[in-house]
Structures are given as C-alpha cells and as structure tokens.
Amino acid sequence: GTLFCSPRPSRKILEDFYMNSNSAKFWFETFLPKIEGSRRDRIFKKKAVQLFNLIDEKGIGVNSLCDVGAGSGIFLEELKKIRKDIDYYAIEPGKVSSKILNEKEFTVLQESAETSSKWNNKFDFVVSYRHIMWLPVSDLFFKKNRNLKKLLH
C-alpha cells in the first residue's frame, strides 16, 4: 500500500528526515542492498545507456557530470562503466547515503541541492533520477539544478 501525509511536511522537516532519520538509515543499510542487483539490471544499466545515447546524439561535450539525489550511487556506477573519462559527482543530503557514495569514491556534496550554491557553475551535465516526486517545490529544484550547470560562453 501507499501512505500519504497531508498536509505535506515543511522543507526543513523533509530535509531533516532524509538526512538523519532511522527510516533513511534502514533503507540504505538494510533494504536497498538486498534489491540493488535487480534495480541495477532492470533500471540503471538501461538508463545509463539511454543517457549516453542521447548525449552522443545531441553532440553534447561532457567532462563532468553531477547526479542530484544520487542515493547510493548505482546510477553513477553504471554511467562510469560506460564512460570512464568523465568526472562524476553526487549531491546527496543523507548521512548514510553520502557515506556509501564516499566509499565508492565519488565526490559528494552532502547538502540539499535546493538550498546549497557551493557547486554552482561546476558541471557540464546534471542528472536527477526519480527525485522530483519527493520535492515540495519542484520549480525551485529545477532552477537550482540549472545553476549547477556551467554557463555557456
């Protein structure tokens, strides 16, 4: 089943929940590792191929790529298997998930993309997979992600 919460918690409450909650810890330490293989095979390998096909089709030069809401880094790992010549980064607010990303040797900004400007104008390409549905204000998320992309001259 699905559990809905109305009214939606504030941004501060949601950020604290994703950064510090026992639920997030359970998901990243217990639940997700058990299904990682099937998620990798059924979702992330295909999405990585599709993304690079699109990048190649559009002729986009990519030397740096950031995954916003990178979770445990499965998508980044699959991207890196295809293109090793790119510098990969992650923005992930959760303590447990950021630790996992660090252990996988990705450079991580452990903050919320919506509230941080530390990596503005840094990347050639920015992705976010399955993150948008959790956002209280999606237009702010898109505006802030656009700021992560390098300015075109």
Side-chain angles (χ1 to χ4, degrees), residues 16 25 40 66 80 85 107 117 120 127 132 137 143 147:
D16 186 56
K25 184 177 179 180
R40 180 183 303 276
C66 181
K80 193 171 187 174
D85 60 320
T107 303
S117 59
N120 281 3
V127 298
I132 296 160
V137 184
K143 288 175 186 173
N147 292 340

Side-chain angles (χ1 to χ4, degrees), residues 45 63 98 126:
K45 284 183 180 182
N63 294 309
S98 291
V126 178

Side-chain angles (χ1 to χ4, degrees), residues 57-149:
E57 177 185 310
K58 300 294 182 185
I60 301 169
V62 179
N63 294 309
S64 59
L65 184 148
C66 181
D67 185 359
V68 178
S72 60
I74 301 170
F75 191 41
L76 286 172
E77 288 177 311
E78 292 305 316
L79 292 169
K80 193 171 187 174
K81 286 177 185 176
I82 297 169
R83 292 275 309 270
K84 294 174 179 41
D85 60 320
I86 295 175
D87 295 322
Y88 294 94
Y89 298 83
I91 296 179
E92 177 57 49
K95 288 179 182 176
V96 175
S97 47
S98 291
K99 181 178 179 246
I100 292 167
L101 287 158
N102 279 314
E103 288 168 355
K104 293 179 177 183
E105 300 184 356
F106 290 111
T107 303
V108 182
L109 176 62
Q110 187 187 337
E111 295 187 18
S112 168
E114 292 111 316
T115 58
S116 179
S117 59
K118 289 183 181 174
W119 281 2
N120 281 3
N121 195 33
K122 184 174 177 75
F123 307 106
D124 297 318
F125 207 87
V126 178
V127 298
S128 183
Y129 181 71
R130 295 190 62 152
H131 182 71
I132 296 160
M133 67 183 144
W134 305 109
L135 301 172
V137 184
S138 59
D139 61 335
L140 175 63
F141 176 77
F142 288 114
K143 288 175 186 173
K144 294 299 272 187
N145 281 346
R146 185 177 32 209
N147 292 340
L148 296 168
K149 176 111 174 42

Side-chain angles (χ1 to χ4, degrees), residues 12 15-25 93-95 110:
K12 172 74 177 115
E15 284 179 9
D16 186 56
F17 176 80
Y18 288 115
M19 288 184 191
N20 303 308
S21 72
N22 287 332
S23 176
K25 184 177 179 180
K95 288 179 182 176
Q110 187 187 337

Side-chain angles (χ1 to χ4, degrees), residues 5-73:
C5 182
S6 181
R8 181 181 208 123
S10 69
R11 176 178 290 132
K12 172 74 177 115
I13 290 171
L14 285 173
E15 284 179 9
D16 186 56
F17 176 80
Y18 288 115
M19 288 184 191
N20 303 308
S21 72
N22 287 332
S23 176
K25 184 177 179 180
F26 168 80
W27 273 85
F28 283 102
E29 290 182 348
T30 306
F31 182 74
L32 288 175
K34 292 178 181 176
I35 62 169
E36 181 175 312
S38 64
R39 291 179 77 227
R40 180 183 303 276
D41 293 338
R42 294 179 183 185
I43 300 170
F44 293 106
K45 284 183 180 182
K46 293 174 188 174
K47 293 294 180 192
V49 169
Q50 290 172 341
L51 179 63
F52 282 125
N53 285 343
L54 180 65
I55 287 171
D56 292 343
E57 177 185 310
K58 300 294 182 185
I60 301 169
V62 179
N63 294 309
S64 59
L65 184 148
C66 181
D67 185 359
V68 178
S72 60

